[in-house]
Amino acid sequence: MKLTKERIVDAGMATFAETGYHGLSMRQVAERLGAHAGSLYYHVRSKDELLALMADRVSRHAYDAAGTALAALPPDVTWQEKIEVQAAELRRSIQQHPGGALLLADSPGTLSTGGLSLMERLLETLLDAGVPAEHCGIAADTLLSHVTGFVLQEQAEPQTPTVTAETYGELRARFPLVMEQMPRLSQDEKFQRSVRLLCTAFETLTRDDSVK
């Protein structure tokens, strides 16, 4: 099958999911495609360019999906709901791309037009909400980092430790709040609530522009 930039990015994403940022190499990507490494360079000049293309794919997918979702919202929608939509679509896009969470978490210095588009729209939403300009960058970065970290935890290997009744009783006595008060929520509900908590924090900035 003919090599294309899209096929190389596909293979790069799959390889990245297995090896991570430091383990990824053009040779491994070529082997996955059944090609020689040298032939990849006609389409992608370097590993750095490949990483940028991979990050751009995830981010662009999220940007486009959020754009469609935002356009479907009613005119009187709140800024918090706009934030929730953008966060939800980013989470969904990362989940749909093998290695997407690791890619965005492990290569924060890899800029892409897709990633910049995500940040630009999020900053616009926060500015329109009345968040002071000096706080918007931190607020947006906090939200994006939260989404990426949340998906990383979701995609981690599930570990269900075996706990005896005796051990559980000891843990309950030592950590009553953790064992009794922590809510048992689905991942979707937990994510939605966490984003709403962040929006509540952002809202305080709209009421108090003296926060430094």
Side-chain angles (χ1 to χ4, degrees), residues 24-96:
L24 178 70
S25 70
M26 297 295 278
R27 179 184 58 78
Q28 290 172 309
V29 175
E31 289 176 354
R32 186 177 290 272
L33 291 166
H36 295 291
S39 61
L40 269 61
Y41 293 101
Y42 288 105
H43 305 275
V44 179
R45 290 172 294 182
S46 66
K47 173 182 171 179
D48 287 342
E49 182 177 334
L50 177 58
L51 285 167
L53 289 169
M54 289 159 55
D56 189 70
R57 171 181 287 187
V58 178
S59 300
R60 179 61 60 180
H61 186 276
Y63 180 83
D64 292 342
T68 300
L70 287 168
L73 294 175
D76 59 346
V77 68
T78 66
W79 67 265
Q80 291 94 333
E81 290 172 295
K82 292 180 180 180
I83 293 290
E84 288 181 31
V85 164
Q86 292 174 69
E89 293 303 334
L90 177 57
R91 176 192 175 211
R92 188 173 294 112
S93 295
I94 294 174
Q95 290 173 327
Q96 291 173 352

Side-chain angles (χ1 to χ4, degrees), residues 86-149:
Q86 292 174 69
E89 293 303 334
L90 177 57
R91 176 192 175 211
R92 188 173 294 112
S93 295
I94 294 174
Q95 290 173 327
Q96 291 173 352
H97 290 84
L102 280 173
L103 173 65
L104 297 185
D106 287 354
S107 55
T110 303
L111 295 179
S112 70
T113 56
L116 293 172
S117 296
L118 282 176
M119 179 65 81
E120 184 79 4
R121 183 161 59 196
L122 189 53
L123 288 171
E124 288 176 356
T125 305
L126 292 167
L127 284 170
D128 289 345
V131 176
E134 64 266 29
H135 302 306
C136 283
I138 295 297
D141 187 62
T142 298
L143 179 66
L144 295 178
S145 295
H146 169 68
V147 177
T148 302

